[in-house]
Amino acid sequence: VGDRDEALALAGQSMPERGLAHGLAVAAVALRMGEELNRKGAGLDLDLVHNAALLHDVAKGWPHHEAAGGELLERLGLGGLSRIVAAHRDVPPPASGLLTEKEVVCLADKLVRCDRRISVEDRFGEKLALYACDENACAAIRGRMNNALALRGMVEKACGRGLEDILAGVLP
């Protein structure tokens, strides 16, 4: 997993400025959710949450950047991050009903556009508008949106309050 300083150093060396800003914003959102979930007994590893969120787009721009990022981190000895990074594009709600670091990072990514907060509905609404002429793409987008909405619902239920309240003040 590495420590937070190591993750930040790797991100600074390997990601463009815009990608680093996005990673930092996703990490801030993921950490806030993780902290709140831990207050309710989730037992999440916050270093894992932070580092996976920060580095989730380490291979952005590469083909299949999620899998490529997971493989890169594995080769760098950060295998604890690899499965989360490889899955961050879409994570279905767990059948167990228990949220893990993987779900937190995936949802956090869906709540940040560039380095700003965005709602799940707005994030996916943009994609649906962009691909409005491609029904197959829209079906896939709606599937990812429904997964993100389900994860949001799980976080809210586990924390006993709304996500906007949980994330108040985290990002503009």
Side-chain angles (χ1 to χ4, degrees):
V1 169
D3 66 33
R4 293 183 194 190
D5 289 336
E6 291 170 329
L8 186 56
L10 176 59
Q13 293 282 323
S14 60
M15 297 168 74
E17 185 176 328
R18 187 174 159 162
L20 177 58
H22 175 68
L24 288 167
V26 172
V29 168
L31 268 179
R32 177 66 63 87
M33 283 192 294
E35 290 164 352
E36 187 64 23
L37 287 163
N38 278 355
R39 279 194 265 292
K40 301 298 183 175
L44 299 173
D45 179 335
L46 295 180
D47 287 332
L48 177 56
V49 168
H50 174 272
N51 293 353
L54 177 62
L55 294 167
H56 76 279
D57 277 344
V58 69
K60 189 76 167 185
W62 301 6
H64 309 287
H65 85 274
E66 304 89 355
E71 291 169 10
L72 173 64
L73 292 171
E74 188 76 40
R75 287 193 310 272
L76 293 173
L78 296 169
L81 305 176
S82 62
R83 69 176 180 80
I84 296 172
V85 169
H88 81 267
R89 184 169 186 242
D90 186 28
V91 176
S96 69
L98 300 174
L99 293 162
T100 69
E101 295 86 355
K102 181 170 66 171
E103 289 83 21
V104 171
V105 170
C106 178
L107 178 58
D109 181 43
K110 305 311 172 261
L111 296 170
V112 176
R113 181 189 341 113
C114 300
D115 62 351
R116 305 273 180 178
R117 284 263 294 110
I118 189 170
S119 70
V120 170
E121 293 86 354
D122 287 346
R123 171 80 179 257
F124 285 97
E126 292 171 349
K127 295 291 185 186
L128 287 168
L130 185 63
Y131 292 96
C133 295
D134 185 338
E135 187 49 43
N136 289 334
C138 284
I141 293 165
R142 281 190 292 277
R144 290 192 303 276
M145 179 175 70
N146 289 336
N147 284 342
L149 290 169
L151 293 176
R152 181 181 73 188
M154 290 179 73
V155 168
E156 292 176 335
K157 182 177 179 185
C159 294
R161 59 190 184 132
L163 196 57
E164 291 306 314
D165 186 37
I166 294 166
L167 298 177
V170 173
L171 293 176

